[in-house]
Amino acid sequence: MAIDPREKIVLFIDGANLYATSKAIGVDIDYRRLLAEFSAKAYLLRANYYTALVEDQEYSSIRPLIDWLDYNGFTVVTKPAKEFTDASGRRKIKGNMDIELCVDALELAPYYDHMVLFSGDGDFTALVAALQRKGKRVTVVSTLTSSTPMISDDLRRQADFFMDVAELAKSVGRPPSTRPVVAPVVAPVVPDEE
């Protein structure tokens, strides 16, 4: 990755996309090391993390991560996910943060030189092109090493630089097994009385 140490850089993380990508290659991202890695390369102006949250759940598995990120140097941008039933009667949840990420990237553009986009979503190709027209350099972080590539070919071609999460994981990743394992709560089986 070609980051000039004199550059002001910003990290824009599509949370759902990075989560799916890291799971596809079997690693977890250590966000503390991620900040340290990019802070060591250049002046890190901002690190934004975007995700939708299901509001009606009593407990969300992503809430501890969101809280940790919010207290440890990330700007966390969330919105409620929308719940709907599809044509076949299945419950679906939709939580797209693309517009929020694009608006923030364009609003902050006068203040940074290089954007690092953690997403493989081809919808961001137009954003990357718009930033390049403003003289910005863009690195896209995703993976080609999973069984199906997690990055749009158009996005990869549009970006100035591509970084594979599998390569980045060597310095900021950890195996999923290093997380504490929480045993599921199982109700005891009580035999039926006859």
Side-chain angles (χ1 to χ4, degrees):
M1 175 175 55
I3 291 182
D4 185 323
R6 296 169 296 177
E7 290 181 314
K8 291 179 188 166
I9 61 171
V10 290
L11 309 181
F12 280 80
I13 302 170
D14 175 350
N17 195 284
L18 180 58
Y19 176 81
T21 300
S22 63
K23 291 302 161 215
I25 62 170
V27 298
D28 280 344
I29 301 298
D30 183 324
Y31 289 96
R32 183 184 314 274
R33 290 196 306 199
L34 181 74
L35 278 183
E37 175 83 9
F38 284 94
S39 294
K41 292 185 182 310
Y43 180 78
L44 180 59
L45 182 66
R46 179 84 30 98
N48 289 4
Y49 185 95
Y50 296 82
T51 192
L53 297 172
V54 178
E55 294 293 323
D56 64 344
Q57 292 180 341
E58 193 169 304
Y59 173 78
S60 172
S61 60
I62 196 170
R63 180 52 69 185
L65 172 64
I66 296 302
D67 291 343
W68 187 92
L69 292 171
D70 205 23
Y71 283 106
N72 288 281
F74 287 83
T75 300
V76 178
V77 181
T78 64
K79 74 176 180 184
K82 305 282 189 231
E83 189 176 331
F84 65 97
T85 306
D86 69 8
S88 35
R90 291 182 298 229
R91 180 177 164 240
K92 299 277 188 175
I93 296 173
K94 180 177 169 112
N96 193 324
M97 297 295 294
D98 294 3
I99 296 298
E100 289 80 0
L101 191 151
C102 289
V103 169
D104 290 350
L106 290 168
E107 282 183 345
L108 280 173
Y111 307 105
Y112 64 84
D113 306 305
H114 194 144
M115 178 174 92
V116 182
L117 174 63
F118 290 78
S119 183
D121 188 339
D123 291 344
F124 291 121
T125 304
L127 170 65
V128 172
L131 290 170
Q132 290 167 330
R133 287 191 300 274
K134 292 179 176 293
K136 308 305 173 188
R137 296 184 338 141
V138 180
T139 295
V140 172
V141 183
S142 189
T143 193
L144 293 166
T145 61
S146 57
S147 57
T148 56
M150 298 294 290
I151 184 166
S152 152
D153 191 52
D154 289 341
L155 179 61
R156 189 168 60 94
R157 289 174 189 267
Q158 185 66 52
D160 295 299
F161 307 101
F162 170 73
M163 175 183 280
D164 202 300
V165 172
E167 189 62 31
L168 181 63
K170 292 176 182 174
S171 58
V172 303
R174 61 178 185 248
S177 61
T178 62
R179 286 183 297 167
V181 176
V182 178
V185 177
V186 179
V189 178
V190 178
D192 289 334
E193 292 182 22
E194 294 187 41

